[in-house]
Coordinates of all heavy atoms in Angstrom, one line a residue:
H1418 N 10.6 -34.4 11.6 CA 10.9 -33.0 11.9 C 10.5 -32.1 10.8 O 10.9 -30.9 10.7 CB 12.5 -32.9 12.1 CG 13.0 -33.7 13.2 ND1 12.7 -33.4 14.5 CD2 13.8 -34.8 13.2 CE1 13.3 -34.3 15.3 NE2 14.0 -35.1 14.5
E1419 N 9.6 -32.6 9.9 CA 9.2 -31.7 8.7 C 8.5 -30.4 9.2 O 8.8 -29.4 8.6 CB 8.2 -32.5 7.8 CG 7.7 -31.7 6.7 CD 6.6 -32.4 5.9 OE1 6.7 -33.6 5.7 OE2 5.7 -31.7 5.5
I1420 N 7.6 -30.5 10.1 CA 6.9 -29.3 10.6 C 7.9 -28.2 11.0 O 7.8 -27.1 10.6 CB 5.9 -29.6 11.7 CG1 4.9 -30.7 11.3 CG2 5.2 -28.4 12.2 CD1 4.1 -30.4 10.1
E1421 N 8.8 -28.6 11.9 CA 9.8 -27.6 12.4 C 10.6 -27.1 11.2 O 10.9 -25.9 11.2 CB 10.6 -28.4 13.4 CG 11.9 -27.7 13.8 CD 12.8 -28.6 14.6 OE1 12.3 -29.6 15.2 OE2 14.0 -28.3 14.7
M1422 N 11.1 -27.9 10.3 CA 11.9 -27.5 9.2 C 11.2 -26.5 8.3 O 11.8 -25.5 7.8 CB 12.5 -28.7 8.4 CG 13.4 -29.6 9.2 SD 14.1 -30.9 8.2 CE 15.4 -30.0 7.3
V1423 N 9.9 -26.8 8.0 CA 9.2 -25.9 7.1 C 8.9 -24.6 7.8 O 9.0 -23.5 7.1 CB 7.8 -26.6 6.8 CG1 6.9 -25.6 6.1 CG2 8.0 -27.8 5.8
E1424 N 8.7 -24.6 9.1 CA 8.6 -23.3 9.8 C 9.9 -22.5 9.7 O 9.9 -21.3 9.6 CB 8.2 -23.5 11.2 CG 6.7 -24.0 11.3 CD 6.3 -24.4 12.7 OE1 7.2 -24.5 13.6 OE2 5.1 -24.6 12.9
E1425 N 11.0 -23.2 9.9 CA 12.3 -22.5 9.7 C 12.5 -22.0 8.3 O 13.1 -20.9 8.1 CB 13.4 -23.5 10.1 CG 13.4 -23.8 11.6 CD 14.3 -25.0 11.9 OE1 14.8 -25.7 11.0 OE2 14.6 -25.2 13.1
F1426 N 12.1 -22.8 7.3 CA 12.2 -22.3 5.9 C 11.4 -21.1 5.7 O 11.8 -20.2 5.0 CB 11.7 -23.5 5.0 CG 11.7 -23.0 3.5 CD1 12.9 -23.1 2.8 CD2 10.6 -22.6 2.9 CE1 12.9 -22.7 1.5 CE2 10.6 -22.2 1.6 CZ 11.7 -22.2 0.9
R1427 N 10.2 -21.1 6.3 CA 9.3 -19.9 6.2 C 10.0 -18.6 6.6 O 10.0 -17.6 5.9 CB 8.0 -20.1 7.0 CG 7.1 -18.8 7.1 CD 6.3 -18.9 8.3 NE 7.1 -18.9 9.6 CZ 6.7 -19.4 10.7 NH1 5.5 -20.0 10.8 NH2 7.5 -19.3 11.8
D1428 N 10.7 -18.7 7.7 CA 11.4 -17.5 8.2 C 12.5 -17.1 7.3 O 12.7 -15.9 6.9 CB 12.0 -17.7 9.6 CG 10.9 -17.9 10.7 OD1 9.8 -17.4 10.5 OD2 11.2 -18.5 11.7
A1429 N 13.3 -18.1 6.8 CA 14.4 -17.8 5.9 C 13.8 -17.2 4.6 O 14.4 -16.2 4.0 CB 15.2 -19.0 5.6
H1430 N 12.8 -17.8 4.0 CA 12.2 -17.4 2.8 C 11.7 -15.9 2.8 O 12.0 -15.1 2.0 CB 11.0 -18.3 2.4 CG 10.2 -17.9 1.3 ND1 9.1 -17.1 1.4 CD2 10.4 -18.2 -0.1 CE1 8.6 -16.9 0.2 NE2 9.3 -17.5 -0.7
E1431 N 11.0 -15.6 3.9 CA 10.4 -14.3 4.0 C 11.5 -13.2 4.2 O 11.4 -12.1 3.7 CB 9.3 -14.2 5.1 CG 8.1 -15.1 4.7 CD 7.0 -15.1 5.7 OE1 7.2 -14.4 6.8 OE2 6.0 -15.8 5.5
N1432 N 12.5 -13.6 5.0 CA 13.7 -12.7 5.2 C 14.4 -12.5 3.9 O 14.8 -11.3 3.5 CB 14.6 -13.2 6.2 CG 14.1 -13.1 7.6 OD1 13.1 -12.3 7.9 ND2 14.6 -13.9 8.6
A1433 N 14.6 -13.5 3.1 CA 15.2 -13.4 1.8 C 14.5 -12.5 0.8 O 15.0 -11.8 0.1 CB 15.4 -14.8 1.2
R1434 N 13.1 -12.6 0.9 CA 12.3 -11.8 0.0 C 12.5 -10.3 0.3 O 12.5 -9.5 -0.6 CB 10.8 -12.2 0.2 CG 10.4 -13.5 -0.4 CD 10.4 -13.3 -2.0 NE 10.0 -14.6 -2.6 CZ 10.9 -15.5 -3.2 NH1 12.2 -15.2 -3.1 NH2 10.4 -16.5 -3.8
E1435 N 12.8 -10.0 1.5 CA 13.0 -8.6 1.9 C 14.2 -8.0 1.2 O 14.4 -6.8 1.0 CB 13.1 -8.4 3.4 CG 11.8 -8.7 4.2 CD 12.0 -8.6 5.7 OE1 13.1 -8.2 6.1 OE2 11.0 -8.9 6.4
H1436 N 15.2 -8.9 0.8 CA 16.4 -8.5 0.2 C 16.5 -8.9 -1.2 O 17.6 -8.8 -1.8 CB 17.6 -9.1 1.0 CG 17.6 -8.7 2.5 ND1 17.8 -7.4 2.9 CD2 17.5 -9.4 3.6 CE1 17.8 -7.3 4.2 NE2 17.6 -8.5 4.6
D1437 N 15.4 -9.3 -1.8 CA 15.4 -9.7 -3.3 C 16.5 -10.9 -3.5 O 17.1 -10.9 -4.5 CB 15.7 -8.6 -4.2 CG 14.5 -7.7 -4.4 OD1 13.4 -8.2 -4.2 OD2 14.7 -6.5 -4.8
M1438 N 16.6 -11.8 -2.6 CA 17.5 -12.9 -2.7 C 16.8 -14.2 -3.1 O 15.9 -14.6 -2.3 CB 18.3 -13.1 -1.4 CG 19.1 -11.9 -0.9 SD 19.8 -12.2 0.7 CE 21.2 -13.3 0.3
P1439 N 17.1 -14.8 -4.2 CA 16.4 -16.1 -4.5 C 16.7 -17.1 -3.5 O 17.7 -17.1 -2.8 CB 17.1 -16.4 -5.9 CG 17.6 -15.2 -6.4 CD 18.0 -14.3 -5.2
V1440 N 15.7 -18.0 -3.4 CA 15.8 -19.1 -2.4 C 15.8 -20.5 -3.1 O 14.9 -20.7 -3.9 CB 14.6 -19.1 -1.4 CG1 14.8 -20.2 -0.4 CG2 14.6 -17.7 -0.7
V1441 N 16.8 -21.3 -2.9 CA 16.9 -22.6 -3.4 C 16.6 -23.6 -2.3 O 17.2 -23.6 -1.3 CB 18.3 -22.9 -4.0 CG1 18.4 -24.3 -4.6 CG2 18.7 -21.8 -5.0

């Protein structure tokens, strides 16, 4: 399921960047 998880991470990462929120 890596491909799907990485795509989900992409969405979370880019949304977090809009709010200056670090991503772990």
Side-chain angles (χ1 to χ4, degrees):
H1418 299 293
E1419 177 187 321
I1420 301 301
E1421 166 191 340
M1422 296 186 77
V1423 167
E1424 290 173 346
E1425 292 167 346
F1426 177 81
R1427 173 202 64 205
D1428 292 340
H1430 173 268
E1431 293 179 3
N1432 288 342
R1434 285 288 180 261
E1435 293 178 4
H1436 301 295
D1437 282 337
M1438 299 174 75
V1440 181
V1441 180

